[in-house]
Amino acid sequence: MRKFLCVVFVPFIYSLHYSQAAKKAFPCYDLTSVLKVEPTALYKPHIDASKSFGVQLLKDSKTVQKYINNGKFHKIKKTGKGYRVQKLDYSRAYMVSKAKTTLENIGSKFSKNTKGGTFTVSSITRTLEDQCRLRRVNSNASLGISSHNYGNSFDISYVRFNNVLKYNPKMEMALEKVLKHYANAGRIYYIKEKQQSCYHITVRNY
């Protein structure tokens, strides 16, 4: 009987200790340090555009929920015309209205240009805590403020089309053509991120 209790009780204590330690570790960012990191010249327009929507820096789930409750953030469907949203482990499928509409328009135009093709959205809105968790598995994640932290940015993979993970230069070219169209129209900024194999897109407050 004692051996049985030991087997059950020890993991329980370990689990309790781990959850308490994890609680103390959060938030796992130092806001003062984060704010000191200057964005690059290429990235600064993304940050400036993000701040123009009147959304405060998203620190945690509570902040995101506030914007959902007051109607500022809108749910992004898992699938839409021309796009799919992959399983999001480090971001949330909510954005400001203009960003949601722009994503849908990009998807629709891409679908039309590729005769029914789809691209994959790999990341959407992140809190600072989400970003911190991401850095634990990906050291390339931003150390400073990200435009994802304001609810108007999303990433599109350029190696996954029609739900197939495979390099497809024809589809990538079609996607970039659509992105250039919206960038030239003053609707978005975008950066091709080679380490993440994605286009980082920030919607402007047009």
Side-chain angles (χ1 to χ4, degrees), residues 3-190:
K3 286 182 180 179
F4 175 77
L5 286 173
C6 183
V7 169
V8 175
F9 192 59
V10 169
F12 172 76
I13 289 182
Y14 174 79
S15 175
L16 185 64
H17 173 75
Y18 181 81
S19 63
Q20 287 174 343
K23 267 188 177 179
K24 288 179 182 178
F26 256 4
C28 58
Y29 61 88
D30 174 37
L31 188 56
T32 305
S33 300
V34 168
L35 292 172
K36 283 180 181 177
V37 179
E38 291 290 330
T40 63
L42 182 64
Y43 198 61
K44 191 174 185 303
H46 291 250
I47 297 295
D48 292 342
S50 297
K51 291 178 178 178
S52 72
F53 283 90
V55 173
Q56 294 176 352
L57 182 64
L58 301 172
K59 298 178 183 178
D60 49 32
S61 299
K62 189 177 178 181
T63 320
V64 174
Q65 193 60 49
K66 180 184 78 171
Y67 288 113
I68 294 171
N69 293 345
N70 67 21
K72 185 83 172 181
F73 279 176
H74 302 270
K75 180 74 174 174
I76 309 302
K77 293 179 181 178
K78 289 183 179 180
T79 60
K81 190 173 184 180
Y83 75 88
R84 295 170 180 268
V85 179
Q86 73 174 37
K87 184 173 180 285
L88 302 174
D89 294 318
Y90 301 99
S91 64
R92 299 144 194 265
Y94 288 91
M95 285 194 290
V96 295
S97 178
K98 198 161 285 186
K100 177 178 183 288
T101 300
T102 302
L103 168 59
E104 291 169 348
N105 289 343
I106 289 173
S108 183
K109 189 171 182 62
F110 178 79
S111 176
K112 182 180 178 181
N113 291 356
T114 58
K115 297 180 180 179
T118 61
F119 57 72
T120 298
V121 178
S122 55
S123 185
I124 309 183
T125 294
R126 288 200 298 261
T127 66
L128 288 180
E129 285 188 352
D130 292 332
Q131 207 158 295
C132 186
R133 289 189 303 110
L134 179 59
R135 277 198 60 78
R136 288 172 176 170
V137 296
N138 177 10
S139 60
N140 292 317
S142 177
L143 275 170
I145 301 301
S146 165
S147 58
H148 284 285
N149 302 146
Y150 293 93
N152 69 312
S153 288
F154 54 94
D155 295 340
I156 297 177
S157 170
Y158 57 75
V159 293
R160 189 185 289 275
F161 295 99
N162 300 324
N163 208 29
V164 176
L165 180 60
K166 182 182 178 182
Y167 179 55
N168 189 325
K170 186 178 178 180
M171 294 294 267
E172 182 188 343
M173 195 179 299
L175 174 58
E176 183 148 17
K177 185 178 178 181
V178 173
L179 296 180
K180 280 181 179 177
H181 169 81
Y182 281 94
N184 291 338
R187 303 295 177 90
I188 66 169
Y189 294 117
Y190 76 92

